[in-house]
Amino acid sequence: MKSYYKIIITILFFGATTLVNGQGHNYGEKITDKGAIPVTELAKKMDGQNELAIKVEGVVLEVCQVKGCWMTLDLGNGEKMRVTFKDYGFFMPKNISGKTVVIEGIASLSTTSVEELKHYAEDAGKTKAEIDKITAPKKEMTFEAAGVIVRN
C-alpha cells in the first residue's frame, strides 16, 4: 500500500511542476522557451549560413502519422520546415497539428531527395497520385531538434 501512495505523490508532484512551469510537455532533451524566436524569423537569422544552432517557436502543420518521427512547421511565407529528432531518439504525438511548439537544435539549408520526399509524403498519408507527382529534389529549410516543448 505504501508504494501506491508513493506513486500518487510522484504523479501529483510532476503534475504540479508542469502547472507551475506552464510551458507544456517536453520531448527529448529538457529545454525551456527562453530565447526562442518566431520560426517566421528563422530565414533572416540564418543570413547566408547553411547551419545555425537556434531555438524557435512555431505552429505544427502536420506530423508523421506512422510513428511521429517528423513534423512540419509553418515558416509563414508559404513554405514549411521539416523537423526531425536528434538520433531518432524521440517522437511526437500524432495529434499535435495546430499546436504551438518550441524546438531547440540545428536549422539547416539542405536538399531533400525525391526518394526521401516520397517517403515523407507516404508517412503523411498522401495518395499514390500525389506521391507520383514528386519528381524533383527540393532545396529547403530543415531542423534537427534535440528538444521540443509542446504547448498545452
Side-chain angles (χ1 to χ4, degrees):
M1 195 63 140
K2 286 182 182 180
S3 64
Y4 175 75
Y5 289 117
K6 286 181 183 178
I7 292 170
I8 297 278
I9 289 169
T10 302
I11 290 170
L12 290 173
F13 172 77
F14 284 110
T17 302
T18 300
L19 288 174
V20 170
N21 183 336
Q23 291 191 48
H25 190 79
N26 273 276
Y27 296 87
E29 293 178 13
K30 177 96 169 140
I31 65 170
T32 68
D33 59 0
K34 185 175 181 171
I37 65 163
V39 72
T40 55
E41 295 177 15
L42 180 57
K44 186 171 75 174
K45 278 282 195 198
M46 294 285 289
D47 193 30
Q49 300 174 74
N50 284 329
E51 274 192 3
L52 180 64
I54 195 161
K55 189 185 303 184
V56 298
E57 180 174 3
V59 176
V60 177
L61 294 174
E62 59 186 339
V63 179
C64 171
Q65 292 300 296
V66 175
K67 57 182 156 184
C69 57
W70 55 262
M71 64 183 171
T72 59
L73 298 185
D74 184 359
L75 291 175
N77 60 359
E79 296 287 318
K80 56 186 173 183
M81 175 176 70
R82 183 163 317 280
V83 179
T84 56
F85 311 108
K86 186 177 179 185
D87 299 327
Y88 212 58
F90 60 99
F91 303 115
M92 292 292 100
K94 298 177 198 175
N95 64 346
I96 62 169
S97 294
K99 291 199 177 214
T100 299
V101 294
V102 175
I103 59 175
E104 184 171 0
I106 306 293
S108 304
L109 290 174
S110 59
T111 302
T112 307
S113 70
V114 171
E115 181 180 303
E116 205 169 354
L117 290 169
K118 286 185 175 198
H119 174 78
Y120 290 143
E122 189 176 308
D123 282 354
K126 304 288 183 195
T127 66
K128 180 167 177 15
E130 290 172 305
I131 294 168
D132 289 344
K133 288 181 184 176
I134 301 169
T135 59
K138 184 177 180 183
K139 184 149 181 110
E140 60 188 345
M141 181 87 63
T142 60
F143 199 100
E144 182 183 64
V148 177
I149 298 170
V150 178
R151 298 255 192 232
N152 295 330

XYZ file of all heavy atoms in Angstrom, residues 14 16-17 108 116 118 121 126:
61
model
N 4.794 15.816 -10.181
C 5.106 16.166 -11.559
C 3.981 16.968 -12.200
O 4.231 17.865 -12.998
C 5.451 14.919 -12.386
C 6.820 14.406 -12.099
C 7.016 13.208 -11.432
C 7.934 15.136 -12.465
C 8.282 12.741 -11.158
C 9.217 14.676 -12.203
C 9.382 13.478 -11.536
N 2.035 19.100 -10.592
C 2.176 20.443 -10.032
C 3.354 21.169 -10.673
O 3.282 22.364 -10.971
C 2.357 20.372 -8.516
N 4.446 20.467 -10.908
C 5.612 21.071 -11.553
C 5.244 21.576 -12.937
O 5.626 22.677 -13.337
C 6.767 20.045 -11.656
O 7.077 19.595 -10.349
C 7.991 20.656 -12.300
N 19.046 23.932 -40.802
C 19.940 23.744 -41.952
C 19.220 24.039 -43.253
O 18.017 23.816 -43.371
C 20.418 22.284 -42.038
O 21.033 21.870 -40.870
N 13.358 10.582 -50.603
C 13.008 10.996 -49.248
C 11.688 11.770 -49.234
O 10.845 11.577 -48.357
C 14.132 11.861 -48.667
C 14.192 11.858 -47.173
C 15.470 12.513 -46.658
O 16.377 12.872 -47.443
O 15.551 12.655 -45.432
N 9.213 11.421 -51.297
C 8.137 10.446 -51.489
C 7.869 9.679 -50.192
O 6.720 9.406 -49.858
C 8.480 9.485 -52.635
C 8.357 10.129 -53.995
C 8.579 9.137 -55.117
C 8.331 9.809 -56.450
N 8.105 8.860 -57.525
N 5.897 11.929 -47.935
C 4.519 12.036 -48.424
C 3.720 10.792 -48.050
O 2.552 10.880 -47.645
C 4.512 12.252 -49.939
N -0.432 10.757 -47.929
C -0.783 11.267 -49.255
C -1.178 10.104 -50.168
O -0.773 8.966 -49.975
C 0.392 12.029 -49.879
C 0.923 13.162 -49.044
C -0.015 14.322 -49.001
C 0.601 15.464 -48.215
N -0.305 16.474 -47.833
